[in-house]
Amino acid sequence: MNNPHYWRNGAASVLLCAGLLALATTLARAQDAPESLLPPGFDDPAPTPSPMPTPAQTRQPSSPSGPASTAPPSISEPIVQAVPDGPVVSRAELNRLPTVEELENLSTDQLDDLLGLKPQYDIPPAARRSLDAVGIVDLSEGGMPTAGVARQPAQLVRAVLAGTKGPLVSRWGHILLRRTLASRMAPPQGLDPVDFAALRADVLNSMGEFAAARALVQDVDTGNWNTALTSVALTSYIASSDLVGACPAVRLQTDGERDDPRWLMLQAICNAFAGEGALASSQLNAAQGREIASEIDLLLAQRYAGAANAARGGAVIEWEGVDELTPWRFALATAVGEAIPEDLREAAGEGTRGRYYALAGAAAPALSLPKRLNDVAYAAGAGVFSSSAYIDILSQIYADNAIGGAPAERAADLRAAYVAAEKSERIAAMRRLWDALEDDGADGYAGRVLTAYAAARIAPSSSYGDAAGELITSMLAAGLDRDAASWRAVVADGSLGWALIALADPDNGTVDEGALDDFLDDDESAELRKSAFLVAGLAGLGRLDEDGVSDLADRLDVDLDRETRWTRTITRAARFENTALVALLAGLGMQGESWTQMTPLHLFHITRALRISGLEAEARMIAAEAVARG
């Protein structure tokens, strides 16, 4: 009884009941005047003296045929006063009023909604943000220009964003697209700014950038959220295991806007964390009785809601009979520390679903470091995690003596790659990491990302020529182009290291055609894919003359002159140096699970458009990555 929320809700119920009774009384006695609260005499003005009658007014008619008498009516005659016109409340409307029991089960927000007191915004007017430009990365921080797509056709921008549905084959393409989508940009004319934010956040979610998507939707005041942005926001909050973060939007929006099971469970969770545990418990119990969702989903919701009040305990989770892992189950189980059966995680596979859980698990701090390690490797290879973030994870594992097995061995190898006394020992440690991460789900590229800075510490030497290509690949995985270029005098012409430097060196000019011929002759990749990517990348960077490009394309049976609607659009965007639109179109053209889905035609147009529009550094990294992973 001493619970302040009880008194607040009880007082609200009493006040509402009193208000409803007063309304009914007023309707029955509309003509009664309100009773004064002042002492007698204070609200009764002194009577105004009547004017003295004139002789004409007091003279009686001279004859019976004169005018009728104007004497006032008898005081006993009733005076009828007309009831003023007003709204009429029907009995059916009165019957729809909630009962006292129903009022007691309403949350504070539901009471406010019933009384018409719920605000449209949860932010004071002075603190509300403009929708003119939405994003989290400003131009001064490396973002795209604010008006980057403002003058583009709305249907074009919408089509590009709606068409970008999945992961990108290129790690550097992923990084570029993430930076573009998160930039503070104005919407195209004719496209609602909230819809523009929703489209961008949806692409970020599909890329596995859940934290970036969550930050982007949070840049829009929740009072301005529409159905599309709310759905996208819930996806990012659930993937981040941050269900409480969605509560401002859940509690601000009225009950009638959504009634799907996930929304109803979120309402109960948010009520629990707002201090209304009894209401949340009754809502989840009612949901269980109506079977709006699977038993495991409701039990996990009860456990999560119970965390708001430790005294209420938690539900016992039973996974027996559960044959599928869903984002909702993964998020709540991870958040409450409930172990997910390994067979459910393995059943998710390695496709889109498996990728989702890998990227969601990589960023889940509630999971132990050893359990996160494989997911972190996948995230690093995909571009979601940086080389520094990956190194930090292994550094924490190395510092924890309680962690053993493969994670500890990997951490020890990383340390040896940095501080071993001999360079040969450092390279050997790197190779052990590369071999261990060959099955990371990203063709072993995560190992190169992990050792990038260690590789840059190896001074160029012909003694390590056999490892030059792998070391340069590793350096370029983190964008260390100057360190990679320092090996130019060491690598053999026509080798992998030579090809990567020819693409990545910012100071490189035209390419030696003899060395290029040697690379093509020694290429053992399937369908000469590395050679095709090398020619396409060099042509896009302008490091081959037109005749040389034509001859090499014929030799490799590659058509770089073919035009499509996409090639024409990205070429036109590059001609006008529209970096934001070029980056969006490049992301559209790099979709896929692996580099086998990338064509030399797309690589050529992407690198050329990026170079022309002022993004040459990104173009060089993408081209070098294509040859390294092709």
Side-chain angles (χ1 to χ4, degrees):
M1 296 297 291
N2 293 326
N3 188 336
H5 299 290
Y6 171 85
W7 289 112
R8 183 183 65 180
N9 292 342
S13 300
V14 171
L15 288 175
L16 179 60
C17 291
L20 295 174
L21 291 174
L23 173 62
T25 304
T26 302
L27 292 172
R29 302 174 57 191
Q31 72 274 18
D32 290 348
E35 181 181 354
S36 174
L37 298 179
L38 296 175
F42 278 79
D43 58 347
D44 296 329
T48 304
S50 301
M52 294 299 292
T54 61
Q57 292 173 325
T58 59
R59 184 181 301 116
Q60 296 296 325
S62 56
S63 66
S65 61
S69 173
T70 58
S74 172
I75 194 167
S76 61
E77 183 179 350
I79 300 175
V80 179
Q81 179 181 355
V83 178
D85 295 336
V88 178
V89 179
S90 66
R91 181 173 297 275
E93 291 174 323
L94 289 174
N95 291 335
R96 284 198 296 268
L97 293 175
T99 64
V100 174
E101 291 78 9
E102 291 173 337
L103 290 173
E104 290 177 349
N105 291 325
L106 293 179
S107 67
T108 304
D109 285 348
Q110 290 171 327
L111 281 172
D112 291 342
D113 189 28
L114 179 64
L115 295 173
L117 301 177
K118 178 178 283 189
Q120 182 181 1
Y121 295 92
D122 59 345
I123 300 176
R128 293 174 192 166
R129 289 161 292 186
S130 171
L131 292 173
D132 292 342
V134 174
I136 56 177
V137 183
D138 190 70
L139 179 62
S140 61
E141 301 168 326
M144 294 296 170
T146 303
V149 295
R151 297 184 179 180
Q152 300 304 314
Q155 62 270 26
L156 171 62
V157 176
R158 181 186 288 275
V160 172
L161 292 173
T164 308
K165 292 292 186 182
L168 274 61
V169 300
S170 168
R171 180 176 188 273
W172 282 106
H174 177 108
I175 294 171
L176 172 62
L177 184 58
R178 175 184 61 202
R179 176 160 59 97
T180 304
L181 294 169
S183 295
R184 186 168 293 115
M185 292 193 295
Q189 293 183 2
L191 182 59
D192 182 81
V194 179
D195 287 336
F196 184 47
L199 287 167
R200 289 189 285 159
D202 191 31
V203 178
L204 287 169
N205 280 333
S206 69
M207 296 167 59
E209 292 287 352
F210 309 117
R214 181 180 59 180
L216 180 62
V217 300
Q218 287 175 337
D219 197 49
V220 179
D221 294 343
T222 49
N224 293 322
W225 286 16
N226 58 16
T227 302
L229 188 62
T230 300
S231 297
V232 171
L234 290 183
T235 299
S236 64
Y237 280 115
I238 291 173
S240 306
S241 298
D242 181 21
L243 277 72
V244 178
C247 286
V250 172
R251 291 175 67 84
L252 188 64
Q253 297 183 20
T254 58
D255 296 338
E257 293 186 14
R258 297 181 60 138
D259 59 357
D260 55 280
R262 187 175 64 173
W263 184 261
L264 296 176
M265 289 186 286
L266 276 174
Q267 284 182 320
I269 289 173
C270 293
N271 286 334
F273 280 88
E276 298 168 352
L279 174 62
S281 180
S282 66
Q283 287 176 323
L284 288 173
N285 289 337
Q288 215 164 9
R290 290 185 288 132
E291 298 182 350
I292 67 168
S294 300
E295 184 74 11
I296 185 66
D297 296 333
L298 291 166
L299 288 174
L300 287 169
Q302 286 180 338
R303 171 74 73 83
Y304 194 99
N309 188 348
R312 294 184 177 275
V316 178
I317 307 300
E318 295 288 348
W319 292 97
E320 185 177 355
V322 179
D323 56 1
E324 182 184 9
L325 185 63
T326 65
W328 176 266
R329 295 167 187 173
F330 182 87
L332 269 69
T334 300
V336 302
E338 181 68 28
I340 299 173
E342 290 295 334
D343 58 336
L344 287 180
R345 179 67 188 273
E346 293 174 359
E350 298 180 355
T352 302
R353 292 177 59 209
R355 183 178 184 275
Y356 171 90
Y357 297 120
L359 295 177
L367 294 177
S368 65
L369 291 174
K371 283 191 175 183
R372 292 174 58 192
L373 193 54
N374 289 336
D375 294 338
V376 170
Y378 183 83
V384 178
F385 270 38
S386 66
S387 176
S388 297
Y390 194 1
I391 292 170
D392 288 344
I393 296 292
L394 278 172
S395 299
Q396 295 178 56
I397 291 176
Y398 183 83
D400 191 342
N401 294 327
I403 300 177
E409 294 175 2
R410 201 171 298 179
D413 283 337
L414 179 62
R415 185 177 186 276
Y418 275 91
V419 300
E422 300 294 333
K423 293 181 181 178
S424 58
E425 294 178 10
R426 298 182 193 177
I427 295 175
M430 290 186 224
R431 280 178 166 160
R432 287 195 297 272
L433 288 170
W434 297 338
D435 293 340
L437 292 168
E438 279 299 325
D439 298 327
D440 61 2
D443 61 30
Y445 198 60
R448 275 67 177 179
V449 175
L450 177 62
T451 60
Y453 292 96
R457 293 166 58 90
I458 304 294
S461 172
S462 57
S463 302
Y464 313 113
D466 60 333
E470 293 173 307
L471 292 172
I472 293 171
T473 297
S474 184
M475 286 182 254
L476 294 179
L480 306 177
D481 52 356
R482 297 287 182 183
D483 296 281
S486 65
W487 284 74
R488 172 179 290 278
V490 175
V491 296
D493 288 346
S495 64
L496 174 62
W498 170 87
L500 296 177
I501 293 175
L503 291 166
D505 187 359
D507 299 325
N508 195 24
T510 56
V511 175
D512 182 2
E513 294 186 6
L516 182 56
D517 287 337
D518 292 340
F519 183 87
L520 270 63
D521 291 338
D522 296 337
D523 186 9
E524 297 180 355
S525 62
E527 300 178 355
L528 300 178
R529 185 173 296 275
K530 287 182 179 291
S531 296
F533 284 157
L534 175 60
V535 171
L538 290 172
L541 293 171
R543 297 181 177 183
L544 288 175
D545 57 59
E546 293 185 4
D547 293 338
V549 171
S550 180
D551 293 341
L552 291 168
D554 291 341
R555 177 178 172 181
L556 295 170
D557 194 21
V558 173
D559 184 8
L560 300 181
D561 295 326
R562 184 169 62 89
E563 289 189 353
T564 65
R565 184 178 180 182
W566 176 83
T567 63
R568 290 191 294 269
T569 304
I570 195 172
T571 299
R572 181 174 177 82
R575 187 180 304 122
F576 289 98
E577 299 183 1
N578 191 321
T579 54
L581 185 57
V582 166
L584 293 177
L585 289 165
L588 179 66
M590 283 189 283
Q591 294 183 88
E593 296 286 346
S594 70
W595 279 95
T596 58
Q597 297 171 279
M598 171 64 76
T599 68
L601 175 69
H602 282 74
L603 182 65
F604 165 68
H605 282 281
I606 288 169
T607 53
R608 186 178 68 171
L610 291 174
R611 173 180 60 85
I612 294 173
S613 61
L615 297 172
E616 182 178 346
E618 289 81 357
R620 290 187 285 106
M621 293 301 103
I622 292 172
E625 181 187 354
V627 173
R629 304 177 69 178

